[in-house]
Amino acid sequence: MPDAILDDISHRRYNPLRGSWILVSPHRTKRPWQGQQEDASKTDLPAYDPDCYLCPGNRRAGGDVNPDYENTFVFVNDYSAVKEDQVDYQPEELDGGLSSRLLRAEAVTGKCYVVTFSPLHNLTLADLPSSNILTIIRKWTELYTAHLSPSSPLAAIAGATTIPPQSHAHSVSKPNAQYRYMQIFENKGAAMGCSNPHPHGQIWVTSSLPEEPSLELEQLQKYRRQQGGVHLLEDYATLESEKQERVVFENGAFLAVCPWWATWPFEVMIVSKAHRRALVDFDMGEASLLAEAIGEVTKRYDNIFETQFPYGMGIHQAPLEGTNLEIEDSHFHIHFYPPLLRSATVRKFLVGYEMMAEPQRDITPEQAAAKLRGCGGRLYRKRL
């Protein structure tokens, strides 16, 4: 265990994945709470909602009609944050003036997809068996492969795939440009700004490398240079597996851990124990183990407070296009950032000191991991 004194005193923990620090204040868990109370998540949704834009056979906001899909369904977001076609923008050449130094901008193009996880309106990842989650992972892999640069080292091992213009499982067309990065993510629950409870995630593909994966890639590359070629997250997975202090779940290929540097109360990272750069690196056995790990984390989330546990989840992996070094230095992992703190009705907010100075947490990652370890087994609502 960490030094026992750290359970009682305020201290800072270093995040080597971002090169940043977080303040930990475990003694604050004893303070009374008189803050905002949230309504507990309801679980009485129908299997089919005729007014849902994502249910099979329904008309979406943009006018298109969903097919009667049976597993996953992919389509271009009707309200995309980035677009493939837009007016070209070329910033003026840097002339040394204040504007060129301080008022910089660059155009970003791309595509935004929606991926439904199930045709049933009232399910979540926590409800799905591993076989269904595996189907989602295969869809993610298919879309990643379809956008992968032919010059990437990953292209040599990725299975051939195409995106048909229209099909039972797709409502998308082939991208018209080579994009730099693909961000796969899910916002679960109204507390995370999710506008539709139907189980789904999103995929944004952009011409630029976004800030968070860029910061992490920089740190991964720095560690590998300084440590003689070894990989940061491979070392970290080995260390956590040995210590078992912050491990929530572990199988032969993946570790689910409350990171030493976690910001959110029950933050979890799923990391591949061996160096794997992206989804296309996984064989079917590893993909199945990834599905198991995702199911275990999401079930434990719902079980801990017996509610539909909200979270933001995102995959970080190798860029679609990059140098050989960038691709090789990347390491596949998934972040889960959930806001709940004390119960189904009490959330953590990043405010005050955390906005103006640095992130801060009360419950330690070790305490959070212990709680989540004790929440395994059957999903609570299946026992009701």
Side-chain angles (χ1 to χ4, degrees), residues 198-213:
H198 191 107
H200 72 285
Q202 298 186 56
I203 298 177
W204 292 12
V205 189
T206 56
S207 55
S208 59
L209 183 62
E211 191 76 5
E212 284 300 311

Side-chain angles (χ1 to χ4, degrees), residues 276-299:
R276 298 290 184 266
R277 301 160 294 181
L279 284 162
V280 295
D281 273 335
F282 299 132
D283 59 30
M284 187 56 68
E286 290 172 317
S288 297
L289 291 173
L290 176 58
E292 180 188 31
I294 292 173
E296 283 288 338
V297 170
T298 53
K299 277 189 291 188

Side-chain angles (χ1 to χ4, degrees), residues 128-144:
L128 297 178
S130 291
S131 58
N132 288 50
I133 300 176
L134 178 60
T135 299
I136 299 166
I137 293 170
R138 293 175 70 178
K139 187 60 60 182
W140 289 338
T141 306
E142 181 180 333
L143 287 164
Y144 180 88

Side-chain angles (χ1 to χ4, degrees), residues 31-37 342 346:
R31 71 189 179 115
W33 175 259
Q34 294 180 321
Q36 178 174 334
Q37 300 288 312
R342 297 165 182 251
V346 178

Side-chain angles (χ1 to χ4, degrees), residues 331-353:
H331 191 116
F332 180 94
H333 58 286
I334 304 178
H335 293 292
F336 285 86
Y337 297 148
L340 296 188
L341 173 59
R342 297 165 182 251
S343 70
T345 60
V346 178
R347 292 173 54 191
K348 173 183 174 63
F349 295 92
L350 290 177
V351 295
Y353 185 89

